Amino acid sequence: ANIGDCKAFHWSCRNKTVTDITALNRQCSSNNASDPGGRIGPYINGKLPDLRNLVCDMVLCEEDDIFILVSDGVHDNLEPESLGLK
């Protein structure tokens, strides 16, 4: 499960590929870094969490696969646009 704009990646040892499991997690905030699209702390009416982009995903994995979980502070600095790349 993911909420907000943290990222999760899956490294497939067999295929030697990385998949962004959370590729669509910023759709509701239009890639606006100031709006994570959701948060678990009190937000709505000062009490309720913001669940706009709460997503549960399932990824089949095999032995030696790796899952990489990063905060928005990490992946924001690794996005191609942030590095001046297309």
Side-chain angles (χ1 to χ4, degrees), residues 12-78:
S12 169
C13 187
R14 175 192 299 214
N15 300 322
K16 308 292 188 248
T17 58
V18 174
T19 303
D20 181 351
I21 301 166
T22 53
L24 303 177
N25 74 332
R26 279 193 172 174
Q27 286 211 335
C28 66
S29 61
S30 302
N31 285 331
N32 179 352
S34 68
D35 180 4
R39 48 189 66 89
I40 58 174
Y43 178 71
I44 300 172
N45 297 326
K47 299 182 216 175
L48 302 173
D50 176 2
L51 304 177
R52 286 178 292 159
N53 69 351
L54 174 63
V55 176
C56 291
D57 289 302
M58 182 182 79
V59 176
L60 298 177
C61 59
E62 298 177 0
E63 190 172 345
D64 296 325
D65 283 4
I66 298 172
F67 288 90
I68 305 161
L69 309 174
V70 296
S71 70
D72 64 328
V74 172
H75 77 79
D76 282 348
N77 289 299
L78 297 176

Side-chain angles (χ1 to χ4, degrees), residues 74-86:
V74 172
H75 77 79
D76 282 348
N77 289 299
L78 297 176
E79 287 183 350
E81 294 86 7
S82 298
L83 300 172
L85 304 171
K86 294 184 179 187

